[in-house]
Amino acid sequence: MNLKSFHIITIFPNILDSYINESLFCRAIKSKIISIKTHDLRGFSDARYGKKIKKGIQPFARVDDRPFGGGPGMVLQVEPIYRAVEFVKKKAAKGKTRIILFSTRGKRFDSKTAQRLAKYDNLIFICGRYEGIDERVADYIADEEISIGDYVLSGGEIPALTVMESISRYIPGFLGKEESLEEINGSFPTYTRPEVFSPKKGKKWSVPKVLLSGDHKKIQEWRNSND
Ligand code: SAH
């Protein structure tokens, strides 16, 4: 099995770690199906880079600055990102590596892209924040830019989780026993007990009868037609 490693560069590693530690990701990491490392971009700021941080003394770890040409907001600087990516590349396992930048101007993410990216051994994700990222990251560092949809979020962390989870579902073993990939089987409505739910007197929400029939051929037909 080739281990997929995800490396996520962010100024909010804790946001990602808390999700990763309480989900299918946690199990997949324990069973060595994938490895996920978050990297705090601030660790690569001018102030901290290459210096041992002494307890209690935290130099101000600036990773953003004002945009050239004026305008509101701050822009993540190219240099800390370059250092972080170089650091991660050295740490990454052997094999094929792809560097992805999350951007509102990127190519729209879909399941085809997820399947393509699932073939890499190492994926390095760069999460933007504030007004965005110095464009030189897109021009010289990233292999591709991805957008998860036509809307603006406050950072690349949610896109990173979305993309990582979607890719992971294509990695053998990630879903464990529940290997019922919707992407392969198609997606259909599901129900569980009770057969009839009565939220109020006189109201009844029933499960479609065909699903209780035990007739597997009919059930399959129903599922296909509701795909
Ligand atoms: N000023 C930019 C928005 C920056 S949002 C613009 O108007 O387009 C800050 C960061 O959040 C971005 O750099 C990107 O990394 C991330 N982000 C926001 N929305 C996103 C989306 N739909 N898909 C992927 N990344 C997104």
PDB file of all heavy atoms in Angstrom, residues 102-104 128-132 146-149 151-156 159, ligand 1:
ATOM      1  N   PHE A 102      -5.326  26.893  -2.481  1.00  0.00           N
ATOM      2  CA  PHE A 102      -6.761  27.172  -2.487  1.00  0.00           C
ATOM      3  C   PHE A 102      -6.983  28.632  -2.828  1.00  0.00           C
ATOM      4  O   PHE A 102      -6.390  29.518  -2.209  1.00  0.00           O
ATOM      5  CB  PHE A 102      -7.392  26.784  -1.152  1.00  0.00           C
ATOM      6  CG  PHE A 102      -7.328  25.312  -0.967  1.00  0.00           C
ATOM      7  CD1 PHE A 102      -6.415  24.723  -0.105  1.00  0.00           C
ATOM      8  CD2 PHE A 102      -8.135  24.483  -1.730  1.00  0.00           C
ATOM      9  CE1 PHE A 102      -6.318  23.348   0.004  1.00  0.00           C
ATOM     10  CE2 PHE A 102      -8.049  23.106  -1.633  1.00  0.00           C
ATOM     11  CZ  PHE A 102      -7.132  22.546  -0.762  1.00  0.00           C
ATOM     12  N   SER A 103      -7.831  28.826  -3.823  1.00  0.00           N
ATOM     13  CA  SER A 103      -8.024  30.179  -4.344  1.00  0.00           C
ATOM     14  C   SER A 103      -9.426  30.306  -4.925  1.00  0.00           C
ATOM     15  O   SER A 103      -9.941  29.363  -5.529  1.00  0.00           O
ATOM     16  CB  SER A 103      -6.972  30.432  -5.433  1.00  0.00           C
ATOM     17  OG  SER A 103      -7.383  31.479  -6.268  1.00  0.00           O
ATOM     18  N   THR A 104     -10.007  31.483  -4.768  1.00  0.00           N
ATOM     19  CA  THR A 104     -11.329  31.710  -5.370  1.00  0.00           C
ATOM     20  C   THR A 104     -11.227  31.715  -6.894  1.00  0.00           C
ATOM     21  O   THR A 104     -12.225  31.555  -7.579  1.00  0.00           O
ATOM     22  CB  THR A 104     -11.911  33.061  -4.904  1.00  0.00           C
ATOM     23  OG1 THR A 104     -10.900  34.061  -5.058  1.00  0.00           O
ATOM     24  CG2 THR A 104     -12.330  33.009  -3.451  1.00  0.00           C
ATOM     25  N   GLY A 128      -4.969  29.965   2.054  1.00  0.00           N
ATOM     26  CA  GLY A 128      -4.891  31.419   2.116  1.00  0.00           C
ATOM     27  C   GLY A 128      -5.724  31.973   3.262  1.00  0.00           C
ATOM     28  O   GLY A 128      -6.492  31.258   3.899  1.00  0.00           O
ATOM     29  N   ARG A 129      -5.530  33.241   3.531  1.00  0.00           N
ATOM     30  CA  ARG A 129      -6.320  33.982   4.550  1.00  0.00           C
ATOM     31  C   ARG A 129      -6.355  35.444   4.154  1.00  0.00           C
ATOM     32  O   ARG A 129      -5.692  35.846   3.220  1.00  0.00           O
ATOM     33  CB  ARG A 129      -5.683  33.852   5.940  1.00  0.00           C
ATOM     34  CG  ARG A 129      -6.155  32.640   6.690  1.00  0.00           C
ATOM     35  CD  ARG A 129      -7.429  32.924   7.474  1.00  0.00           C
ATOM     36  NE  ARG A 129      -8.173  31.677   7.716  1.00  0.00           N
ATOM     37  CZ  ARG A 129      -9.366  31.645   8.295  1.00  0.00           C
ATOM     38  NH1 ARG A 129      -9.950  32.750   8.714  1.00  0.00           N
ATOM     39  NH2 ARG A 129      -9.992  30.497   8.458  1.00  0.00           N
ATOM     40  N   TYR A 130      -7.058  36.233   4.912  1.00  0.00           N
ATOM     41  CA  TYR A 130      -7.140  37.689   4.692  1.00  0.00           C
ATOM     42  C   TYR A 130      -7.608  37.996   3.264  1.00  0.00           C
ATOM     43  O   TYR A 130      -8.504  37.367   2.744  1.00  0.00           O
ATOM     44  CB  TYR A 130      -5.797  38.364   5.008  1.00  0.00           C
ATOM     45  CG  TYR A 130      -5.186  37.952   6.304  1.00  0.00           C
ATOM     46  CD1 TYR A 130      -3.916  37.404   6.367  1.00  0.00           C
ATOM     47  CD2 TYR A 130      -5.911  38.071   7.499  1.00  0.00           C
ATOM     48  CE1 TYR A 130      -3.360  37.018   7.571  1.00  0.00           C
ATOM     49  CE2 TYR A 130      -5.355  37.681   8.713  1.00  0.00           C
ATOM     50  CZ  TYR A 130      -4.089  37.155   8.739  1.00  0.00           C
ATOM     51  OH  TYR A 130      -3.544  36.762   9.913  1.00  0.00           O
ATOM     52  N   GLU A 131      -6.943  38.972   2.610  1.00  0.00           N
ATOM     53  CA  GLU A 131      -7.334  39.348   1.242  1.00  0.00           C
ATOM     54  C   GLU A 131      -6.842  38.341   0.218  1.00  0.00           C
ATOM     55  O   GLU A 131      -7.244  38.370  -0.938  1.00  0.00           O
ATOM     56  CB  GLU A 131      -6.770  40.734   0.889  1.00  0.00           C
ATOM     57  CG  GLU A 131      -7.731  41.859   1.193  1.00  0.00           C
ATOM     58  CD  GLU A 131      -9.119  41.625   0.625  1.00  0.00           C
ATOM     59  OE1 GLU A 131      -9.275  41.582  -0.597  1.00  0.00           O
ATOM     60  OE2 GLU A 131     -10.054  41.497   1.442  1.00  0.00           O
ATOM     61  N   GLY A 132      -5.960  37.441   0.665  1.00  0.00           N
ATOM     62  CA  GLY A 132      -5.430  36.458  -0.273  1.00  0.00           C
ATOM     63  C   GLY A 132      -3.934  36.274  -0.094  1.00  0.00           C
ATOM     64  O   GLY A 132      -3.377  36.596   0.962  1.00  0.00           O
ATOM     65  N   ILE A 146      -7.107  25.496  -6.744  1.00  0.00           N
ATOM     66  CA  ILE A 146      -8.438  24.886  -6.658  1.00  0.00           C
ATOM     67  C   ILE A 146      -9.393  25.811  -5.912  1.00  0.00           C
ATOM     68  O   ILE A 146      -9.050  26.381  -4.866  1.00  0.00           O
ATOM     69  CB  ILE A 146      -8.356  23.510  -5.939  1.00  0.00           C
ATOM     70  CG1 ILE A 146      -7.717  22.484  -6.878  1.00  0.00           C
ATOM     71  CG2 ILE A 146      -9.729  23.028  -5.480  1.00  0.00           C
ATOM     72  CD1 ILE A 146      -7.578  21.103  -6.290  1.00  0.00           C
ATOM     73  N   SER A 147     -10.602  25.912  -6.460  1.00  0.00           N
ATOM     74  CA  SER A 147     -11.695  26.601  -5.757  1.00  0.00           C
ATOM     75  C   SER A 147     -12.747  25.551  -5.440  1.00  0.00           C
ATOM     76  O   SER A 147     -12.988  24.651  -6.246  1.00  0.00           O
ATOM     77  CB  SER A 147     -12.305  27.665  -6.666  1.00  0.00           C
ATOM     78  OG  SER A 147     -13.626  27.969  -6.237  1.00  0.00           O
ATOM     79  N   ILE A 148     -13.367  25.620  -4.266  1.00  0.00           N
ATOM     80  CA  ILE A 148     -14.401  24.610  -3.975  1.00  0.00           C
ATOM     81  C   ILE A 148     -15.790  25.108  -4.358  1.00  0.00           C
ATOM     82  O   ILE A 148     -16.764  24.391  -4.229  1.00  0.00           O
ATOM     83  CB  ILE A 148     -14.379  24.094  -2.513  1.00  0.00           C
ATOM     84  CG1 ILE A 148     -14.657  25.212  -1.506  1.00  0.00           C
ATOM     85  CG2 ILE A 148     -13.073  23.395  -2.215  1.00  0.00           C
ATOM     86  CD1 ILE A 148     -15.097  24.663  -0.141  1.00  0.00           C
ATOM     87  N   GLY A 149     -15.900  26.316  -4.840  1.00  0.00           N
ATOM     88  CA  GLY A 149     -17.223  26.783  -5.261  1.00  0.00           C
ATOM     89  C   GLY A 149     -17.227  28.281  -5.489  1.00  0.00           C
ATOM     90  O   GLY A 149     -16.304  28.990  -5.069  1.00  0.00           O
ATOM     91  N   TYR A 151     -18.112  31.045  -4.262  1.00  0.00           N
ATOM     92  CA  TYR A 151     -18.423  31.863  -3.097  1.00  0.00           C
ATOM     93  C   TYR A 151     -17.100  32.118  -2.382  1.00  0.00           C
ATOM     94  O   TYR A 151     -16.123  31.411  -2.634  1.00  0.00           O
ATOM     95  CB  TYR A 151     -19.409  31.155  -2.149  1.00  0.00           C
ATOM     96  CG  TYR A 151     -19.146  29.688  -2.015  1.00  0.00           C
ATOM     97  CD1 TYR A 151     -18.100  29.223  -1.208  1.00  0.00           C
ATOM     98  CD2 TYR A 151     -19.900  28.751  -2.686  1.00  0.00           C
ATOM     99  CE1 TYR A 151     -17.848  27.878  -1.086  1.00  0.00           C
ATOM    100  CE2 TYR A 151     -19.649  27.397  -2.580  1.00  0.00           C
ATOM    101  CZ  TYR A 151     -18.622  26.964  -1.778  1.00  0.00           C
ATOM    102  OH  TYR A 151     -18.365  25.616  -1.679  1.00  0.00           O
ATOM    103  N   VAL A 152     -17.071  33.123  -1.524  1.00  0.00           N
ATOM    104  CA  VAL A 152     -15.811  33.469  -0.863  1.00  0.00           C
ATOM    105  C   VAL A 152     -15.871  33.080   0.610  1.00  0.00           C
ATOM    106  O   VAL A 152     -16.782  33.482   1.333  1.00  0.00           O
ATOM    107  CB  VAL A 152     -15.506  34.981  -0.994  1.00  0.00           C
ATOM    108  CG1 VAL A 152     -14.159  35.315  -0.363  1.00  0.00           C
ATOM    109  CG2 VAL A 152     -15.512  35.398  -2.456  1.00  0.00           C
ATOM    110  N   LEU A 153     -14.912  32.280   1.043  1.00  0.00           N
ATOM    111  CA  LEU A 153     -14.782  31.921   2.460  1.00  0.00           C
ATOM    112  C   LEU A 153     -13.666  32.774   3.065  1.00  0.00           C
ATOM    113  O   LEU A 153     -12.966  33.483   2.353  1.00  0.00           O
ATOM    114  CB  LEU A 153     -14.441  30.441   2.577  1.00  0.00           C
ATOM    115  CG  LEU A 153     -15.460  29.485   1.953  1.00  0.00           C
ATOM    116  CD1 LEU A 153     -14.892  28.078   1.860  1.00  0.00           C
ATOM    117  CD2 LEU A 153     -16.742  29.477   2.785  1.00  0.00           C
ATOM    118  N   SER A 154     -13.499  32.660   4.378  1.00  0.00           N
ATOM    119  CA  SER A 154     -12.476  33.498   5.033  1.00  0.00           C
ATOM    120  C   SER A 154     -11.084  32.904   4.961  1.00  0.00           C
ATOM    121  O   SER A 154     -10.115  33.565   5.317  1.00  0.00           O
ATOM    122  CB  SER A 154     -12.833  33.705   6.503  1.00  0.00           C
ATOM    123  OG  SER A 154     -14.139  34.171   6.597  1.00  0.00           O
ATOM    124  N   GLY A 155     -10.996  31.645   4.557  1.00  0.00           N
ATOM    125  CA  GLY A 155      -9.680  31.028   4.500  1.00  0.00           C
ATOM    126  C   GLY A 155      -9.720  29.711   3.757  1.00  0.00           C
ATOM    127  O   GLY A 155     -10.798  29.214   3.418  1.00  0.00           O
ATOM    128  N   GLY A 156      -8.538  29.140   3.523  1.00  0.00           N
ATOM    129  CA  GLY A 156      -8.446  27.884   2.780  1.00  0.00           C
ATOM    130  C   GLY A 156      -8.607  26.638   3.640  1.00  0.00           C
ATOM    131  O   GLY A 156      -8.457  25.521   3.141  1.00  0.00           O
ATOM    132  N   PRO A 159     -11.881  24.638   2.635  1.00  0.00           N
ATOM    133  CA  PRO A 159     -11.569  23.980   1.358  1.00  0.00           C
ATOM    134  C   PRO A 159     -10.573  22.819   1.524  1.00  0.00           C
ATOM    135  O   PRO A 159     -10.759  21.766   0.915  1.00  0.00           O
ATOM    136  CB  PRO A 159     -10.979  25.112   0.520  1.00  0.00           C
ATOM    137  CG  PRO A 159     -11.663  26.345   1.043  1.00  0.00           C
ATOM    138  CD  PRO A 159     -11.825  26.108   2.516  1.00  0.00           C
TER     139      PRO A 159
HETATM  140  N1  SAH B   1      -9.726  38.506  -1.974  1.00  0.00           N
HETATM  141  C1  SAH B   1     -10.043  37.213  -2.459  1.00  0.00           C
HETATM  142  C2  SAH B   1     -10.633  36.343  -1.361  1.00  0.00           C
HETATM  143  C3  SAH B   1      -9.672  35.897  -0.357  1.00  0.00           C
HETATM  144  S1  SAH B   1     -10.405  34.801   0.771  1.00  0.00           S
HETATM  145  C4  SAH B   1     -11.071  37.336  -3.561  1.00  0.00           C
HETATM  146  O1  SAH B   1     -11.834  38.289  -3.524  1.00  0.00           O
HETATM  147  O2  SAH B   1     -11.116  36.454  -4.401  1.00  0.00           O
HETATM  148  C5  SAH B   1      -9.022  34.222   1.634  1.00  0.00           C
HETATM  149  C6  SAH B   1      -8.542  32.849   1.243  1.00  0.00           C
HETATM  150  O3  SAH B   1      -9.581  31.906   1.476  1.00  0.00           O
HETATM  151  C7  SAH B   1      -8.162  32.652  -0.200  1.00  0.00           C
HETATM  152  O4  SAH B   1      -6.835  33.069  -0.427  1.00  0.00           O
HETATM  153  C8  SAH B   1      -8.326  31.149  -0.391  1.00  0.00           C
HETATM  154  O5  SAH B   1      -7.185  30.455   0.041  1.00  0.00           O
HETATM  155  C9  SAH B   1      -9.463  30.825   0.548  1.00  0.00           C
HETATM  156  N2  SAH B   1     -10.772  30.696  -0.112  1.00  0.00           N
HETATM  157  C10 SAH B   1     -11.855  31.488   0.044  1.00  0.00           C
HETATM  158  N3  SAH B   1     -12.897  31.058  -0.683  1.00  0.00           N
HETATM  159  C11 SAH B   1     -12.470  29.941  -1.325  1.00  0.00           C
HETATM  160  C12 SAH B   1     -13.098  29.031  -2.232  1.00  0.00           C
HETATM  161  N4  SAH B   1     -14.344  29.183  -2.639  1.00  0.00           N
HETATM  162  N5  SAH B   1     -12.365  27.992  -2.684  1.00  0.00           N
HETATM  163  C13 SAH B   1     -11.061  27.822  -2.297  1.00  0.00           C
HETATM  164  N6  SAH B   1     -10.434  28.654  -1.436  1.00  0.00           N
HETATM  165  C14 SAH B   1     -11.116  29.696  -0.965  1.00  0.00           C
END
